[in-house]
Amino acid sequence: MNQGRITKRIIRRETHSSRAGLSVLTAVLLLVACLWLGTESVLSLLGQPALLASPGHLASLVAAVPEAVLPAGLVAGGTVVALAGAALLLAAVKGGRRGRRAMLSGRSALVVDDETIAAAISRKVRLAANLAPGQVATAVARNRALVHVHPTSGMTLDPAVLTAAAAEEVASLRLQKTIPAQVRVATEGAVGR
């Protein structure tokens, strides 16, 4: 394996979460259900009493469901089963994403947490606006950084200047996939520091 492929693989493993836990949980639940049905079948063949319900009793219960349950209940049950199946399928196809991003580096794999990116952007915007630390908060989402600024009462801030400061900080981080920064200045000011 060449160095580039190894680096890409390391970055992928650090920025995406594993689906192993969900896979193991699903497999264990299916295994328990199959073992229970198998045990009930063997007990029925041997003429022993069932643990919970014999296969014949289960079949009669399933056959009686349309008469015993209202159509709205059947639709609701079917919808729940379909949503659970769709969620499992979506989890299988789409990988989970951790709150981390890769940085550009020619020599190694660099990964930075979204909280660290948010703190750096908040600091840069706070210094550009000359505000106290509690007056700027940043949240880094999947495809953008949202900066909330609460100016001191009586102080007017230019959102364009703050957006430029946030964009400059994002550019200085040298992320592989850059994220736009959006600055929102609150209309109500904070009490002076």
Side-chain angles (χ1 to χ4, degrees):
M1 250 186 206
N2 65 16
Q3 191 67 21
R5 288 181 59 195
I6 293 172
T7 302
K8 285 181 183 179
R9 187 171 179 187
I10 291 171
I11 289 173
R12 170 91 177 145
R13 288 187 65 153
E14 289 298 318
T15 57
H16 290 77
S17 62
S18 172
R19 295 177 296 253
L22 183 60
S23 300
V24 168
L25 177 66
T26 304
V28 166
L29 290 176
L30 288 173
L31 181 65
V32 167
C34 289
L35 287 174
W36 173 68
L37 288 173
T39 303
E40 294 290 4
S41 297
V42 170
L43 288 174
S44 176
L45 289 173
L46 295 175
Q48 299 294 322
L51 295 174
L52 296 176
S54 68
H57 183 66
L58 287 175
S60 66
L61 286 176
V62 171
V65 166
E67 292 85 27
V69 179
L70 294 172
L74 290 175
V75 170
T79 302
V80 168
V81 170
L83 288 176
L88 286 174
L89 184 64
L90 187 65
V93 172
K94 182 180 176 187
R97 187 189 164 293
R98 293 181 181 174
R100 300 176 183 169
R101 295 174 195 276
M103 296 174 66
L104 295 174
S105 173
R107 300 181 331 167
S108 62
L110 294 176
V111 178
V112 63
D113 286 331
D114 284 351
E115 292 86 14
T116 305
I117 295 170
I121 294 171
S122 291
R123 181 179 181 278
K124 183 73 170 190
V125 170
R126 181 178 58 82
L127 292 175
N130 195 25
L131 296 173
Q135 292 179 275
V136 179
T138 304
V140 177
R142 186 175 192 95
N143 56 0
R144 67 181 169 144
L146 185 58
V147 184
H148 294 282
V149 180
H150 294 107
T152 305
S153 294
M155 181 183 216
T156 58
L157 297 175
D158 184 8
V161 171
L162 301 179
T163 301
E168 179 183 330
E169 185 62 28
V170 170
S172 72
L173 293 173
R174 297 178 31 232
L175 300 174
Q176 277 186 355
K177 295 179 182 175
T178 186
I179 53 173
Q182 182 181 7
V183 176
R184 292 187 181 161
V185 179
T187 55
E188 295 179 4
V191 178
R193 49 185 172 130

